[in-house]
Each structure stands twice: as C-alpha cells, then as structure tokens.
Amino acid sequence: MGYDTLVPPPRLLDDGAAVEVELGGAPRRFHAMWLRDNAQDPATRSPGNGQRLVTLQDITRDIRIAEAAWASGQLALRFEPEGKAVRFNPDWLLHHAYDKPPPVAAGWTGEALTRWDAGLASQTPTERYDEVRNDPGARLRWLGAVRRYGFARLTRAPTTPDAPLQLAALFGYVRETNYGRAFDVRAAPNPNNLADTNLGLQAHTDNPYRDPAPTLQILGCLENTVEGGDSIVVDGFKVAERLQAETPRGFDLLTRYCARFAYAGSAGVRLRSKRPMIELAPDGELIGVRFNNRSAAAFTDIPYDDMADYYAAYRRMGELVEDPALAVRFRLAAGDMFIVDNLRVLHARTAFTGGGERWLRGCYADRDGLLSTLAALEEAAA
Ligand code: FE2
C-alpha cells in the first residue's frame, strides 16, 4: 500500500495548466510550467552534478498536463504537446511545495533561526576547538548554532596567529580584505581604526562600508590580561523585532531607505556603500542588519520629510543595541574564539585599562560556505 491507494488521485486544474495533489494531508497545487521546469529526469537535469540541461525557452509556453496519476508511490505526469512523461517523488514535492499563504508581515525570519536576548548567556553555544576540528558531530553542532543564533563560542583554540584562519578553513574560506587575510585588534600607538585603541566600542557589525559586507567574522583571543575589555554580542534581528514592535514606522524607514557607510582610514582605500540598516528581502524576510556608528557616512538618500523620523528610528535602534537586556557579555581568555554572522549579530567591547596586553586576531569568512558545509554534514549524518 502506498500513495497509489491511500491518497486521492491527482486532479487536473485549468485544463491541465496545473494539478492539485494531496501531500502531507493537504491539497497542494502545482503549475504545469513549474513541474516541467523542475523535472528531475536525466534529460532535464544532469545526473552527475544536478545542473539543469534545458532553458526555459526549451519548454513551450502553452505546456499542459495531459495525465496525472499515482504510480508506485510516485506522481506520474504526461505533458502535452511535448508528450514527455515525468515522475516526481512526493517527498520532494512536499519539500518544495509553494501553494501556501504568503507572508503577512515584513520582518519575518524562517524556522532555522532563533532570535535571542540576554537569556542566551546561560546557554551560549560553545564547543571545544579540537572537537570541532576532529569530530564531524561537534562540527555539525557548532555550525548549526551559527546558523540558528548567528553566534557561537569556541574554547581551547590555539593561541597562534593563524588560529582564526585555521578555524575558517574547517568550514569555508577566508575573505581577504585591505586589512589582510587576518587582522590584529590590539592597542596601537597611531591606530588607523578605533578598534586598535583601548576605548569601548558600541556594538556594531563590521565593515558595512563593503558591498558585499563580510558575512562572518571570527575573533580569537591570543592574550588578555587587561582590566575590562569584555566582549558583548547582540542579536540584531532581535533588535529589529523590538524596534518593529515599538515603532512600525521607524522600522519601515530603516528598511525602506538606504544608509551610507564609508571608510577612508588607510592610504589608497576609499570604501563606500549604500545599504539599508535593516534589510528585507522582497518577500519581507529579514535578511540583514548593518549598524556601525564609526563608519556611518552622511545619509543622503532619505527624503527631507522623512529624515527627522529616520533619525529618531536610528537613535532608538542604537538604544536597543545598548540595552543590557538584549546583550550577552563574556570575557575572552587566551584560547577562546567566537564567530558572528556579521549581517545579523553585533559585537562590542568594553573599555580597558593598561597594565596588561589584549591581543585579538580575527578574519572574515562567508556564510554561504559555512551553510554549504553544514548542509553536507547534515546530509551525511541523515
Ligand atoms: Fe568589530
């Protein structure tokens, strides 16, 4: 007994322009064009690399489903006028079903993400470096935490200068910038970046003046014997949620208009970007936060009539960024590292005083490589 007998037969709609199929206990509609374009047969998709072998122009615009039936647990379709027969696995169809209500409110995030506040401090995702390096299970847990929380810690890492690079190599590739493949964060006499002082730094995302901005940052502690200099992380997606709840208009302004960011602290470098502080995808999904008081440039893309309210929203966002109720605070000791999703989680540092050494070393990497490695590990573990 399979789909063939347990599930109602598929029903053709609109003269075969679509079909309604019972999947997961609910009817789901699929268009003939979508089904034909997503056929998994070896003439449509390369069995070797899964890449599509046809263009949309190879599919006639008046394609119809002439027959639809369950056969040996598969959805068997015949397309006309092509006469092509294709079968679909119902699990694949359910996983890719699009016949669902559209998102109602802007600023939503998917089930893979959990927004957090100070409560995460008691359960900060943390793994040991050697386990993440040697044990695929620990690596999967750690990378999974980065995907869910945009933040994870690591203990007992090497205190060698290339430790952040070695960590990045466990899941992806270093993003080299004008700061080098790796960069130091330590008090310097004439710093070209305020990070290299003993001043506190307001929570921020790094390098919003790049486009694309690095999507991951790794920071490792090689030495920390100063007074102060604690690390703070804040979930920018939680900040966005709070802002939206308090002032829907303020949230709308920060998503609708672009801010400007710039960096010109080194000879030969004039980085500039124009991006919103809170970025939504066209379907309203919250996909990025950029916030950095040091590198915000003059905003020139907000109409005069909205500028005052824009600044009010920007101010409120900064207050939420500094709200201890949203912050997780910790102290990095030599051998500790952490990683943040740099388009989501802001990091800060409290001021520190002399008499010791504070030496962090970091690098940038990208989220797509991390998510790819995570997905491959999940597939291997399934
Ligand atoms: Fe930073």
Side-chain angles (χ1 to χ4, degrees), residues 42-99:
T44 308
R45 287 267 177 188
S46 163
N49 57 32
Q51 297 203 315
R52 187 181 277 103
L53 299 165
V54 301
T55 68
L56 189 54
Q57 285 64 42
D58 293 324
I59 302 171
T60 176
R61 71 176 72 237
D62 55 1
I63 189 157
R64 291 283 182 278
I65 299 166
E67 279 179 61
W70 290 113
S72 307
Q74 305 252 305
L75 178 66
L77 301 176
R78 190 167 54 80
F79 293 100
E80 292 296 356
E82 213 179 351
K84 188 176 178 70
V86 166
R87 290 188 171 209
F88 282 91
N89 180 320
D91 292 335
W92 187 95
L93 283 174
L94 181 58
H95 186 65
H96 294 90
Y98 58 87
D99 189 10

Side-chain angles (χ1 to χ4, degrees), residues 182-371:
F183 51 84
D184 292 303
V185 184
R186 63 198 306 191
N190 288 308
N192 61 11
N193 193 303
L194 286 177
D196 300 325
T197 65
N198 61 357
L199 302 171
L201 297 175
Q202 186 187 38
H204 59 276
T205 60
D206 262 35
N207 292 200
Y209 40 77
R210 294 184 204 285
D211 192 359
T215 43
L216 293 174
Q217 178 175 195
I218 294 168
L219 276 173
C221 179
L222 274 57
E223 213 177 331
N224 191 4
T225 54
V226 298
E227 292 283 325
D230 286 2
S231 297
I232 293 167
V233 288
V234 179
D235 185 359
F237 284 10
K238 189 71 179 178
V239 168
E241 180 185 275
R242 288 276 301 274
L243 186 78
Q244 187 177 23
E246 284 183 18
T247 164
R249 169 155 166 81
F251 177 85
D252 181 56
L253 290 170
L254 294 186
T255 58
R256 190 145 51 91
Y257 293 121
C258 281
R260 298 262 180 168
F261 300 95
Y263 175 82
S266 313
V269 178
R270 295 292 181 269
L271 288 159
R272 295 177 186 131
S273 76
K274 175 192 166 203
R275 288 275 157 179
M277 290 201 208
I278 300 175
E279 185 173 12
L280 303 179
D283 62 358
E285 182 179 9
L286 174 58
I287 55 171
V289 164
R290 293 171 183 79
F291 190 89
N292 191 316
N293 69 302
R294 285 169 288 146
S295 57
F299 306 146
T300 52
D301 304 279
I302 301 133
Y304 180 89
D305 287 341
D306 283 333
M307 187 62 94
D309 287 350
Y310 184 93
Y311 258 92
Y314 178 31
R315 175 182 296 275
R316 186 59 193 143
M317 186 176 179
E319 289 167 352
L320 290 168
V321 155
E322 295 192 17
D323 184 347
L326 297 186
V328 169
R329 180 170 176 154
F330 54 96
R331 182 177 172 80
L332 289 173
D336 288 346
M337 303 179 91
F338 72 92
I339 183 168
V340 284
D341 178 330
N342 189 51
L343 279 187
R344 172 179 172 188
V345 172
L346 297 79
H347 58 284
R349 175 188 78 203
T350 62
F352 58 93
T353 51
E357 189 72 27
R358 186 180 189 272
W359 181 11
L360 303 191
R361 199 163 155 83
C363 69
Y364 299 115
D366 280 305
R367 193 168 49 191
D368 57 350
L370 184 149
L371 295 176

